[in-house]
Amino acid sequence: MSRRLSSQLQRKFPEDVYCEKHLELVQSFCVDDQILLCGQCFHSQEHENHLVCGVQEAAGVYRKLFQEILNTLKEKLEVAKSILADEQERMVMIQGEEQDFKEMIESEYRIRFRLMVEEMNFRSLQDCIFNPKLREDHLNQVLAFATELKGQSQETLQRLNDLGKENMNKLKESEGRLSGHICSLQKMTVELEKKCGKYTLMVLQNAGSSLKRSESLLLQCLEQAQITDLSLCQVTGMSRMLKVLQRAVTLDPKTANPCLVLSEDLRSMHLRNVQQDVPHSPGRFVFSATVLGVESFTSGRHYWEVDVEKATKWQLGVSEDSASRHGDLPTTSGNKVLLMGSLMGTNYTFWAFPPLKRVSLRGEQMHKVGVFLDCESGQISFYDVANRSLICNFSSLTFQGALKPIFSLCIPSGVTNSDSLSICLPPVSSCDVTVSPQSSLA
């Protein structure tokens, strides 16, 4: 049987709501069917075994429930707006990343072509001078290689373009989906705010429908679009000429931070927690665990490799050998070009400078990093030697003076840190090779 209702059934309410079936004022609420009942409805067989309560009691319960849902809807609305803003920011960011990748790919293939031509000239210079047939064959080889490189470059660029479009489409779909969800959340929020501010009977009108629709919105999952990392367009392979250009770089103890311990052969460095007593030097780094190379480059092409496997945080690159540098305070932000690696657990992240930006690269353990410098063309490239692939590069740089290799570790902050870097020796055959008259080592 239906519950017996209290005397509140006889009370009058500020609003008049009539039963559509019997045209009588409603006085109770059926919880099972989520509808308002008049006196005849209440006594009918249709609601005989249903849970029925007074409108005041039901309105109090639903007002509290709607208020809780309303608060959750508002929280989800803010989350949805935040994710939408992130998606829109990612749309701008991936366009910039795609352009950076495009410039990096084009620059890498240009330098590969120059290095290959240089290698071929180096190998056949003597024979070609006296043999026209060999000279013609050599020219045909260069043209064939140029055609092959152009095809590889276009293929990589096309793959990058396709991936960029795919990522942008995913983000646009996500943007549209989130915008629609935000609109629905806003409408539902307005509806529930009105309900919670209305008189008793108005709270209960279409209460079941409002509850179902709001719960449906809350159950919808808010996720960012899953886009593909542009590192899939990574340029693989390394010019064999790099080994010919590899230099026997050594570390300059006069520039080493007191936390760095250099090996006797000046080819490796490791951190210690306590600073050493070292002689004063105007070029010594004070605030970062950094050291420069002894070698100074003003022209030509040069390459060196560094073993970073035993370091969790490191920086490699080149620095202008400026007499105006005091400690770690550069005269301009452009006097260093750096690749930075950071290992957190099993995840590797890479950053390049300048400007400071994250490098899209699959986070594998890095073993050796190759650094290539072309003074004439203003090119600096970083390679993953083990995987024989390009990490990132900088092109069309303008150098104001001589350049020195730079090496950095992270100074320990109260914890034991045994990070170390080692400069790799070049192959014996390449140590004393002069590739061209323009190449020089100061």
Side-chain angles (χ1 to χ4, degrees):
M1 291 294 292
S2 298
R3 286 186 178 179
R4 289 296 174 188
L5 300 180
S6 64
S7 59
Q8 68 170 317
L9 291 179
Q10 309 303 321
R11 294 175 58 184
K12 294 185 178 296
F13 300 98
E15 69 271 35
D16 290 334
V17 178
Y18 290 87
C19 171
E20 294 180 357
K21 185 176 182 180
H22 303 107
L23 301 180
E24 294 182 8
L25 285 172
V26 298
Q27 296 178 317
S28 57
F29 183 76
C30 177
V31 177
D32 291 40
D33 292 338
Q34 297 284 306
I35 58 173
L36 290 163
L37 305 177
C38 67
Q40 290 191 54
C41 291
F42 172 67
H43 291 101
S44 68
Q45 291 184 350
E46 185 180 354
H47 299 284
E48 183 177 2
N49 295 314
H50 290 179
L51 178 62
V52 178
C53 61
V55 288
Q56 289 282 24
E57 179 185 352
V61 171
Y62 274 90
R63 181 176 280 111
K64 182 179 179 181
L65 179 59
F66 284 147
Q67 189 60 57
E68 290 175 355
I69 294 175
L70 181 60
N71 293 337
T72 307
L73 285 171
K74 288 180 177 179
E75 290 176 2
K76 189 165 186 178
L77 178 59
E78 293 305 311
V79 171
K81 288 180 178 179
S82 177
I83 295 177
L84 177 60
D86 288 343
E87 295 293 73
Q88 292 169 338
E89 184 178 342
R90 290 171 79 198
M91 291 170 72
V92 175
M93 186 178 67
I94 66 165
Q95 286 179 318
E97 281 186 1
E98 184 179 347
Q99 182 61 32
D100 289 344
F101 252 91
K102 180 181 178 182
E103 293 174 0
M104 186 173 73
I105 291 167
E106 291 173 341
S107 174
E108 175 64 13
Y109 279 108
R110 281 196 302 269
I111 200 65
R112 285 191 183 188
F113 177 72
R114 288 198 294 267
L115 287 175
M116 180 53 71
V117 170
E118 193 167 306
E119 179 184 357
M120 296 172 78
N121 287 339
F122 176 70
R123 289 180 173 181
S124 57
L125 182 61
Q126 296 299 324
D127 293 335
C128 289
I129 290 175
F130 303 106
N131 192 324
K133 179 67 169 61
L134 286 177
R135 189 162 55 245
E136 182 180 353
D137 291 344
H138 172 69
L139 180 59
N140 289 335
Q141 285 181 342
V142 172
L143 291 174
F145 181 74
T147 302
E148 181 184 351
L149 269 187
K150 184 178 180 180
Q152 292 175 358
S153 174
Q154 289 177 340
E155 181 182 342
T156 306
L157 290 172
Q158 184 61 51
R159 189 163 66 248
L160 175 68
N161 183 61
D162 293 343
L163 193 56
K165 286 182 178 179
E166 178 186 320
N167 284 342
M168 186 59 69
N169 288 337
K170 288 180 179 179
L171 288 171
K172 286 182 177 178
E173 289 175 6
S174 177
E175 181 187 34
R177 187 168 56 252
L178 285 166
S179 296
H181 191 67
I182 287 172
C183 184
S184 298
L185 286 169
Q186 289 173 330
K187 289 180 178 178
M188 197 72 238
T189 299
V190 171
E191 180 180 330
L192 293 188
E193 283 177 336
K194 288 181 177 178
K195 273 190 173 295
C196 291
K198 291 291 184 179
Y199 294 119
T200 303
L201 293 180
M202 297 302 292
V203 175
L204 298 175
Q205 277 194 308
N206 301 316
S209 173
S210 298
L211 186 61
K212 187 178 294 184
R213 285 183 289 113
S214 60
E215 287 179 341
S216 175
L217 282 173
L218 290 176
L219 288 174
Q220 290 184 31
C221 188
L222 297 177
E223 292 182 342
Q224 290 186 319
Q226 298 298 313
I227 61 176
T228 307
D229 199 317
L230 294 181
S231 62
L232 288 177
C233 299
Q234 189 176 5
V235 182
T236 56
M238 292 173 63
S239 171
R240 290 175 297 183
M241 198 63 184
L242 292 176
K243 287 295 183 182
V244 177
L245 298 171
Q246 189 169 349
R247 307 304 182 201
V249 173
T250 53
L251 303 173
D252 183 359
K254 295 180 181 178
T255 64
N257 180 278
C259 284
L260 290 175
V261 179
L262 308 186
S263 62
E264 289 186 9
D265 63 2
L266 300 179
R267 297 193 188 281
S268 64
M269 54 191 260
H270 71 267
L271 282 169
R272 59 177 291 173
N273 290 348
V274 181
Q275 290 193 358
Q276 308 169 88
D277 290 328
V278 293
H280 172 73
S281 172
R284 190 178 302 282
F285 287 88
V286 178
F287 302 110
S288 62
T290 302
V291 61
L292 296 178
V294 172
E295 292 70 24
S296 179
F297 307 119
T298 56
S299 61
R301 298 180 181 126
H302 314 276
Y303 175 76
W304 58 95
E305 292 180 355
V306 185
D307 188 334
V308 300
E309 189 172 5
K310 296 180 180 178
T312 55
K313 292 184 179 180
W314 48 264
Q315 297 180 3
L316 302 174
V318 297
S319 174
E320 288 183 3
D321 184 17
S322 173
S324 60
R325 180 179 63 81
H326 300 288
D328 301 332
L329 301 177
T331 54
T332 65
S333 61
N335 75 330
K336 295 178 185 177
V337 178
L338 300 172
L339 173 69
M340 293 162 272
S342 178
L343 179 63
M344 298 290 288
T346 57
N347 296 320
Y348 232 118
T349 55
F350 300 92
W351 298 81
F353 174 86
L356 183 64
K357 59 183 178 182
R358 185 164 180 171
V359 178
S360 294
L361 191 69
R362 281 163 285 185
E364 300 175 353
Q365 173 68 47
M366 190 67 63
H367 300 284
K368 289 182 183 179
V369 175
V371 184
F372 171 72
L373 167 65
D374 186 339
C375 295
E376 275 72 30
S377 66
Q379 173 102 7
I380 297 175
S381 302
F382 297 92
Y383 296 93
D384 179 349
V385 178
N387 291 325
R388 295 186 58 78
S389 60
L390 178 70
I391 299 174
C392 69
N393 63 20
F394 299 82
S395 57
S396 303
L397 299 174
T398 302
F399 306 123
Q400 302 301 321
L403 298 171
K404 283 179 171 286
I406 187 170
F407 311 86
S408 230
L409 292 170
C410 182
I411 293 180
S413 55
V415 295
T416 302
N417 189 320
S418 58
D419 279 12
S420 64
L421 295 175
S422 298
I423 302 170
C424 304
L425 282 170
V428 176
S429 60
S430 69
C431 288
D432 301 314
V433 171
T434 302
V435 176
S436 68
Q438 290 75 28
S439 298
S440 64
L441 181 63

